[in-house]
Amino acid sequence: YADYIRKEGIQQFLHIYQRLEARCCDELKWGDEIEYQVVEVDPEKKTAKLCLRAPEILHELMKDEKSSQNPKTCWRPEYGSFMLESLPGVPYTSVDSDLLRVQANMELRREVAKQELKPNQRVMSLTAFPMMGVGDYTSPSPPSDWKPGSDKYAASIFIQDQIINPHPRFGTLSANIRKRKTDTVDINVPLFKDTNTKGAQYFPEHQYDLTEPPTPPKGALPDCIYMDAMAFGMGCCCLQCTLQCTDINQARNFYDQLATLCPVMMAISASAPIFRGYLADTDKNEELLL
């Protein structure tokens, strides 16, 4: 159905564009979306794990939005059961004074989220959790009877379906992509290699006593960190900005201006150097999302 979907998608876009091409005079509105990872730390054991309480936490955080016409914060589910997404309660506008509200509202959202956490839990602005897919990396721990590749949605040899948000949208998205590909996804990020670096392994837990290199899965490339699930990309966190322009001409102008800033923003925001416990020869997460 891929060709049909492409054709119909283009037709749908053209119909919408032609219907709204002359629309004008909307109010300029914009806002930010910040994604967080919920992490559970154990100072005695010196461990940090992804905490899968996000759906429970979101239920409490969204009460303000449901009960108020002017909430101070808004919250949305994200792909991972360890992820929170926050927005300002109402959009910002073109008024200069709204710029002064941005940082204060970001700080408020973090404080509001922290109130729903247990003492050993933290909300962290991590792009990618360094040990995702390695050993006992979640709280609660992966099921003791879990077998690599056996789950319904991701069918991954590294991660378990329990890290996917239970909202039907996310598991179904993972399963449908696998169904269209007739296999799991293949993500390959260059491995950083120095004199003592060994090749990446393909087990749910790193093994340090191997005498021979492991047989790679069919989608794994040489000298790369291999990942086989959408969770490695969709489980990354970032800060996004969404704009509603006054008309199509302003939207084009904004697009052209922002396009020139993209390489700069990519460079100064690069913050993802580790995947599946391996140091990558890159520090961006775009490779996981393409």
Side-chain angles (χ1 to χ4, degrees):
Y1 301 106
D3 290 337
Y4 173 81
I5 292 171
R6 292 188 188 100
K7 179 181 177 182
E8 293 302 311
I10 293 170
Q11 289 298 321
Q12 185 180 30
F13 168 77
L14 291 174
H15 284 308
I16 294 172
Y17 177 78
Q18 290 164 3
R19 180 164 55 89
L20 300 175
E21 183 180 7
R23 176 172 168 172
C24 68
C25 307
D26 287 333
E27 182 181 10
L28 174 65
K29 294 181 180 180
W30 62 280
D32 67 89
E33 305 159 27
I34 301 180
E35 296 164 344
Y36 313 94
Q37 295 183 3
V38 185
V39 177
E40 186 171 294
V41 297
D42 187 330
E44 293 184 1
K45 296 181 179 178
K46 299 187 183 302
T47 60
K49 302 180 180 182
L50 289 174
C51 174
L52 306 185
R53 285 190 60 230
E56 172 191 341
I57 295 169
L58 278 169
H59 178 74
E60 296 300 318
L61 292 173
M62 294 174 75
K63 286 182 177 179
D64 179 41
E65 182 182 357
K66 293 177 180 178
S67 61
S68 171
Q69 293 185 344
N70 295 294
K72 294 181 179 179
T73 64
C74 290
W75 299 85
R76 298 289 182 267
E78 253 301 339
Y79 184 88
S81 289
F82 53 90
M83 298 172 71
L84 304 173
E85 180 177 279
S86 71
L87 305 86
V90 293
Y92 304 121
T93 65
S94 57
V95 179
D96 291 347
S97 59
D98 273 7
L99 292 172
L100 303 177
R101 297 170 47 206
V102 177
Q103 182 173 339
N105 192 268
M106 287 180 172
E107 293 173 352
L108 172 64
R109 282 177 263 163
R110 182 175 286 273
E111 289 303 314
V112 168
K114 286 165 65 175
Q115 292 173 15
E116 302 300 330
L117 302 180
K118 295 178 180 178
N120 62 332
Q121 295 169 355
R122 310 284 186 270
V123 281
M124 305 189 72
S125 300
L126 282 173
T127 301
F129 189 71
M131 298 299 286
M132 179 186 284
V134 182
D136 186 8
Y137 68 100
T138 60
S139 176
S141 299
S144 58
D145 60 349
W146 176 76
K147 295 180 180 179
S150 64
D151 280 344
K152 175 181 178 182
Y153 296 122
S156 169
I157 60 175
F158 304 117
I159 63 103
Q160 300 76 32
D161 278 357
Q162 68 171 2
I163 75 167
I164 302 174
N165 190 301
H167 189 290
R169 166 189 171 191
F170 300 108
T172 303
L173 177 64
S174 297
N176 285 347
I177 288 176
R178 276 200 310 105
K179 184 177 180 181
R180 286 198 299 271
K181 285 177 60 67
T182 67
D183 206 341
T184 56
V185 298
D186 295 321
I187 304 169
N188 289 278
V189 174
L191 174 70
F192 177 82
K193 300 194 75 172
D194 64 15
T195 1
N196 298 313
T197 304
K198 296 181 179 180
Q201 298 180 6
Y202 310 102
F203 309 110
E205 190 153 3
H206 292 177
Q207 300 181 19
Y208 301 101
D209 55 354
L210 291 178
T211 54
E212 296 182 2
T215 303
K218 62 180 179 181
L221 299 179
D223 297 328
C224 284
I225 306 165
Y226 174 69
M227 292 161 276
D228 66 346
M230 282 185 60
F232 288 103
M234 300 290 284
C236 289
C237 294
C238 65
L239 183 153
Q240 300 165 308
C241 190
T242 304
L243 298 96
Q244 172 188 283
C245 299
T246 59
D247 55 39
I248 189 67
N249 292 321
Q250 186 183 63
R252 288 194 184 104
N253 195 332
F254 275 21
Y255 181 91
D256 290 344
Q257 297 299 317
L258 292 171
T260 62
L261 293 175
C262 280
V264 178
M265 298 302 294
M266 183 180 292
I268 64 177
S269 64
S271 56
I274 303 174
F275 304 102
R276 273 191 52 235
Y278 293 104
L279 189 62
D281 200 15
T282 178
D283 47 12
K284 307 186 303 297
N285 69 319
E286 279 72 20
E287 287 87 349
L288 279 72
L289 302 173
L290 298 176

